[in-house]
Amino acid sequence: MQSRIALLILALITMLSVVTAQEDNSWMAWKNDIGNTRWLMYHLEKSDVEILKEKWNAVGQSLEKNQTEYSGSYIIPAYMSGYFFRWSKEAGYVFVRFFDVEHPCYFSFGDVELTGSVIRFIHKGESSSSACPPSSSGRPAEEWIPALGGQYLVPRSELKEFIDYYSGFNDFNGHLRKPDDKIPFPIFWGKTDENQPKFILPDDFSSFIKSPLNGEIISVGKTRTRRSKIFVFGSDKAETITSVTIDLGRKHGLKTKQEFILLTDDDGTSETLIVTSVGQSHSKGVVVRTINDKGKEGFLEWDNESDAFVPKPFTKLRPGIKITTSPLSKI
């Protein structure tokens, strides 16, 4: 009899422990209002998570009452590693690094100071530790500048790189078709003005601004198929190349091997226009396109009705198709 009572007590203790553990672990998953549908918080200490939620919600409540120009929530929407932050003039900022989509691994917070076009993050505290990948740095930059009418917020030290991204120059030329084609600067999370941005950078920083190269295809030549050299997704893949002439040249600043995005409804990650020779006002190039599993030019596009990717044909190449170096044209 005593042994049965002892076993019953042990079972009750075990059940209570399981329930208690489940209750204690509830803090590890947080349904947030930005990024993914939830954040998995177990890489942080419980006490840190409580601070993060308090600071994050305080800024959110402040934004609901009074959202000043450019305040709000921003995100680097990378798949493997990136960051979120939100800020308001009254409640300050919260900055959260994450990896693998939904795993916050570090955060910091502080006050915000506005001086003209410059937004300063004044550090006040951070999580007790970081579980982020080594490639991820810690605290955010101290000074930030609104760009493209507030669609982006850019560290002041990275304005040159942002303009290269905006224009599609240097490391960002051909950005869309590269394997690491993530948006490299924090973009505003929420509804944005669909009209043309009022500015690229504020007047104080206008010296950084460069314009993309914009033009059009003026003639189209023959198409042939070759083994993949640009869109290399497997050893047995092929791609098409079509010769074209464009209305840009040396006098516009065009260089050999510069790449352009075709301004059609097609997927910009699956085609590119590469300049092969440069003339004074007209130049030669090739349009390179992916071939689908059926051996035809095409790309995959997500279909909400079937909840799957479906094959789509490219727009037929023709004179008059507009082109640009800027990756933002299809973001």
Side-chain angles (χ1 to χ4, degrees), residues 92-228:
Y93 78 89
V94 184
F95 175 89
V96 186
R97 289 197 179 275
F98 72 89
F99 69 93
D100 197 16
V101 183
E102 58 186 2
H103 295 260
C105 52
Y106 166 87
F107 71 90
S108 66
F109 58 89
D111 296 333
V112 172
E113 182 181 272
L114 305 179
T115 306
S117 301
V118 179
I119 302 161
R120 292 189 65 230
F121 287 177
I122 304 169
H123 179 81
K124 293 293 184 182
E126 61 190 340
S127 54
S128 57
S129 62
S130 172
C132 298
S135 59
S136 298
S137 58
R139 300 177 187 177
E142 183 176 330
E143 296 187 338
W144 297 76
I145 310 298
L148 294 188
Q151 293 179 24
Y152 291 83
L153 215 57
V154 182
R156 183 172 183 169
S157 60
E158 298 177 22
L159 288 179
K160 181 181 180 299
E161 289 78 6
F162 175 79
I163 290 300
D164 279 347
Y165 172 60
Y166 163 76
S167 303
F169 295 153
N170 298 319
D171 291 342
F172 295 105
N173 188 237
H175 179 68
L176 291 186
R177 61 94 179 165
K178 296 177 181 178
D180 187 19
D181 65 346
K182 68 179 184 181
I183 298 174
F185 299 94
I187 191 169
F188 185 79
W189 178 270
K191 187 176 181 180
T192 57
D193 188 353
E194 296 180 356
N195 297 323
Q196 190 72 16
K198 296 177 182 178
F199 60 85
I200 300 171
L201 291 177
D203 290 343
D204 293 346
F205 303 95
S206 59
S207 60
F208 286 91
I209 297 174
K210 294 182 288 187
S211 296
L213 291 179
N214 301 309
E216 65 179 55
I217 295 173
I218 57 175
S219 69
V220 178
K222 294 183 178 180
T223 299
R224 65 183 178 88
T225 301
R226 70 180 184 187
R227 182 176 291 276
S228 293

Side-chain angles (χ1 to χ4, degrees), residues 131-327:
C132 298
S135 59
S136 298
S137 58
R139 300 177 187 177
E142 183 176 330
E143 296 187 338
W144 297 76
I145 310 298
L148 294 188
Q151 293 179 24
Y152 291 83
L153 215 57
V154 182
R156 183 172 183 169
S157 60
E158 298 177 22
L159 288 179
K160 181 181 180 299
E161 289 78 6
F162 175 79
I163 290 300
D164 279 347
Y165 172 60
Y166 163 76
S167 303
F169 295 153
N170 298 319
D171 291 342
F172 295 105
N173 188 237
H175 179 68
L176 291 186
R177 61 94 179 165
K178 296 177 181 178
D180 187 19
D181 65 346
K182 68 179 184 181
I183 298 174
F185 299 94
I187 191 169
F188 185 79
W189 178 270
K191 187 176 181 180
T192 57
D193 188 353
E194 296 180 356
N195 297 323
Q196 190 72 16
K198 296 177 182 178
F199 60 85
I200 300 171
L201 291 177
D203 290 343
D204 293 346
F205 303 95
S206 59
S207 60
F208 286 91
I209 297 174
K210 294 182 288 187
S211 296
L213 291 179
N214 301 309
E216 65 179 55
I217 295 173
I218 57 175
S219 69
V220 178
K222 294 183 178 180
T223 299
R224 65 183 178 88
T225 301
R226 70 180 184 187
R227 182 176 291 276
S228 293
K229 295 181 180 180
I230 301 299
F231 299 102
V232 184
F233 305 118
S235 58
D236 59 341
K237 294 292 183 178
E239 61 194 16
T240 64
I241 59 170
T242 303
S243 59
V244 295
T245 304
I246 62 175
D247 66 345
L248 295 168
R250 197 172 297 110
K251 71 177 185 179
H252 304 101
L254 188 66
K255 298 178 181 178
T256 304
K257 297 184 180 179
Q258 277 187 302
E259 296 191 39
F260 286 82
I261 294 157
L262 279 65
L263 297 180
T264 64
D265 292 331
D266 300 335
D267 174 32
T269 68
S270 302
E271 68 177 355
T272 189
L273 190 161
I274 305 174
V275 176
T276 55
S277 64
V278 178
Q280 182 62 19
S281 58
H282 298 85
S283 300
K284 302 290 185 181
V286 291
V287 172
V288 187
R289 287 174 157 176
T290 56
I291 291 178
N292 61 29
D293 293 336
K294 296 182 180 180
K296 296 182 178 180
E297 282 188 341
F299 58 95
L300 295 177
E301 184 178 86
W302 184 258
D303 180 71
N304 290 326
E305 290 187 6
S306 61
D307 198 30
F309 284 101
V310 296
K312 293 282 185 178
F314 285 109
T315 300
K316 183 178 179 180
L317 288 176
R318 56 172 176 76
I321 290 179
K322 304 296 183 182
I323 60 175
T324 181
T325 53
S326 176

Side-chain angles (χ1 to χ4, degrees), residues 25-95:
N25 290 339
S26 63
W27 60 270
M28 291 185 179
W30 182 21
K31 288 188 176 181
N32 210 313
D33 58 351
I34 187 173
N36 211 342
T37 55
R38 64 176 182 175
W39 286 1
L40 299 178
M41 313 294 284
Y42 54 80
H43 301 284
L44 301 171
E45 297 294 332
K46 183 179 180 181
S47 57
D48 283 338
V49 172
E50 291 171 349
I51 294 172
L52 172 56
K53 289 181 178 180
E54 176 188 350
K55 300 292 185 182
W56 187 269
N57 290 332
V59 177
Q61 292 166 7
S62 174
L63 290 170
E64 289 178 2
K65 295 177 182 177
N66 181 26
Q67 185 166 346
T68 56
E69 199 170 23
Y70 317 128
S71 63
S73 299
Y74 292 79
I75 179 175
I76 289 274
Y79 178 76
M80 288 307 296
S81 64
Y83 57 83
F84 310 97
F85 68 78
R86 70 189 335 183
W87 70 274
S88 74
K89 183 178 179 181
E90 293 79 14
Y93 78 89
V94 184
F95 175 89

